[in-house]
Each structure stands twice: as C-alpha cells, then as structure tokens.
Amino acid sequence: MKPRSLVRSSRAAWMLLCALTLLTLALLENGAWPRATSVGVALVAMVKARLVLVHFMELPLALPHWRQLYGIWIVVATAILIIGYIVSLRLPALF
Amino acid sequence: MHTRSPSALAGAAARAPGSNGLWTFVFIDMIIFALMFFTFMAERLTHAGQYTEAQGKLNPLFGIANTLILLTSSWLVAEAVAASRRSAHALVSRNLAGALLLGMCFIASKSVEYYLKLSQGITPITHPFFSFYYFITAAHLMHLAAGMFCIAYCRRQAMAVGGPRHTQEGLENVGLFWHLVDVLWIFIFPMIYLIGRV
C-alpha cells in the first residue's frame, strides 16, 4: 500500500513541476542576467528531477543504495552542466 | 533523536516499487546519458561561442512544450500505478491512455522540430553542436518510443476481457522506465536549449 502522503503529493508534485517549468520560461523571456539564468535553469532541473524521483518513482520506498545512487546522479548531472558552463566562461582565450 | 527510514515510515506493507533489475537497468542508462552530458559540455568548452551561436537556431518553446508533455505523462503513469494498487483497472487504462496520447504529442512535436531544422539545411553534420543535438535527442526519443510500447502493452493487459492480466511489479517497472525518460529530458532540455543562451 502506497503511503497516503505520497499518493496525495504526486498531484501537488506535478503542479509544482509545471510551475517550475514555466519559471524556466519566465527566466528565459526575461533575459536580464543570462549567466545567472544558465546556472538557475540547471538548478531548477535538479529540483525537478528530485521531485520526479521522489513523487513519481517513489524513491523513498526504494532500497537504500538506490536512494543514495539516484540522489548522487542528480547532483552529478547538475554539476556537469553548471561546472561545464562556468569553465566555458573562463576559458575562451585558451581555445 | 532516532530517525526512521522512509521505508519504516511508509509502513510494514510498503515495498520497493518495481524490480531490483529494473532499478539497475535504469541507473545504468542514467550513467550512459550522464556521460553524454559530460561529453557535450566538455566539447562545448573548446568552442563555446560557436555552440551558443548554433544553439540560437533552436526554439526553446519546443523544449518547454515537450517538458510539460512529459511531466504530465509521467504523472499519469504514476497515477496509473497507484490505481492498479487499488485494483481500479478502468482508471489504470484511462491514465495509461492519457500517457500514450501525450507520448504521441511529444513525438509529433519532435518530428516538427526535426523537419523545421532539416528544411533550414541544419543537419547532424552542420556543426558539432547539431551532431550532439540530433544524437542525444534521438537517443532519448528511442527510449520514449520503447516506453510507449511498454505502456501500450500494460494498458492492453489491464483491459483484458476476463480481468486484468498485468502484474503490479510489471506495471511499476514500466513506470520506472517512463520516469527515466522524463528525468533525462529534464536535463537534456536546459543543457541543449538554454545553458549559455544569450
């Protein structure tokens, strides 16, 4: 039996996910701080992925090692995007 | 203060959704895509300006629409899994049908986007950025197509005359795979369409 909190929360998670996606669109349309926006959308992706893992994939019910590994993957994927972007800002003269 | 694990909090009847094999398969797939992400961002370092210029030829509204499509589809599959646990098989069928319809919308959207790019003369060999764009999105699209096939099979099983024939674990496994497709797109979209965009 799925915990009631997870059942009720999947709809709330979906609404939040859609809101975060529209937030991404708003950041894009704003265009005022492109560098901060690039980092921001990666962080938003991390939050969204976490929501999907917890509320749709039911990661809290998974075996402990999967909870840790999937959580680490999200952080690593986000770090790849952010670090790769920041380094690209600082290395244009070398290439 | 002693903290109970999520499994303990969920109650003794709660079990890990899906099979351990599927969790393993999904994780391996995620590692492969993470390597693609790393390769893309590493290659981007060498010609960031050119990558940004090429990225400007993509329309992020396609990405936004596809994200909303997949998020909603993923939610419907999660609801289908929950309905299956309550033996609400008609609801399982409806939610899976909705997920399939949204999957077809994603394919249609991607097809239009590919068509527009190709009609502009932008092919996988136009620039390394577009090599990555076509390869990564096509790989994701193949995962989506495979997921749709599995969802369609589960829906057919759920609607079987004489009672549903799908197993709870089987449906949960399909759900896990479908959520993988969603999670991957959550990262693919900003990486290819947004990051570095000026």
Side-chain angles (χ1 to χ4, degrees), chain A residues 55-88:
Chain A
H55 296 284
F56 295 170
M57 291 178 90
E58 303 177 279
L59 191 63
L61 299 179
L63 295 174
H65 64 279
W66 291 132
R67 293 200 298 267
Q68 291 163 8
L69 286 173
Y70 277 67
I72 290 171
W73 184 91
I74 292 179
V75 172
V76 169
T78 305
I80 289 172
L81 268 55
I82 292 177
I83 294 173
Y85 172 66
I86 292 174
V87 172
S88 75

Side-chain angles (χ1 to χ4, degrees), chain A residues 2-3 10-11 14 21 24 28 38 45 48-49 52 56-58 60-61 63 66 69-70 73 78 81 84-85 88 95, chain B residues 6 10 16-17 20 23-24 26-27 30 34 41 44-46 60 67 71-72 74-75 79 85 179 186-187 194 196:
Chain A
K2 187 174 180 180
S10 63
R11 177 180 295 181
W14 169 70
T21 301
T24 301
L28 194 65
S38 289
K48 288 166 65 177
V52 171
F56 295 170
M57 291 178 90
E58 303 177 279
L61 299 179
L63 295 174
W66 291 132
L69 286 173
Y70 277 67
W73 184 91
T78 305
L81 268 55
Y85 172 66
S88 75
F95 296 103
Chain B
N20 199 45
W23 283 97
T24 305
V26 166
F27 188 68
M30 290 167 80
M41 294 305 291
R44 185 179 175 278
L45 289 177
T46 58
T67 302
L71 289 174
T72 306
S74 203
W75 173 54
E79 289 291 300
R85 289 175 179 147
H179 301 316
I186 283 173
F187 282 98
L194 303 180

Side-chain angles (χ1 to χ4, degrees), chain B residues 36-102:
Chain B
M36 289 189 214
F37 300 164
F38 180 83
T39 304
F40 173 82
M41 294 305 291
E43 286 295 312
R44 185 179 175 278
L45 289 177
T46 58
H47 298 97
Q50 292 179 19
Y51 270 59
T52 300
E53 184 181 343
Q55 183 189 54
K57 293 182 169 62
L58 296 180
N59 187 342
L61 292 181
F62 276 109
I64 291 284
N66 289 341
T67 302
L68 292 171
I69 287 170
L70 274 185
L71 289 174
T72 306
S73 180
S74 203
W75 173 54
L76 289 177
V77 169
E79 289 291 300
V81 170
S84 181
R85 289 175 179 147
R86 303 193 305 270
S87 299
H89 300 295
L91 192 55
V92 172
S93 175
R94 279 203 300 275
N95 282 329
L96 292 183
L100 275 176
L101 181 63
L102 288 166

Side-chain angles (χ1 to χ4, degrees), chain B residues 3 11 24 38 47-48 57 75 80 103 119 126 145 157 168 182 197-198:
Chain B
T3 305
T24 305
F38 180 83
H47 298 97
K57 293 182 169 62
W75 173 54
S119 66
T126 297
Q157 294 291 84
Q168 183 62 38
D182 192 15
R197 197 176 191 92
V198 294

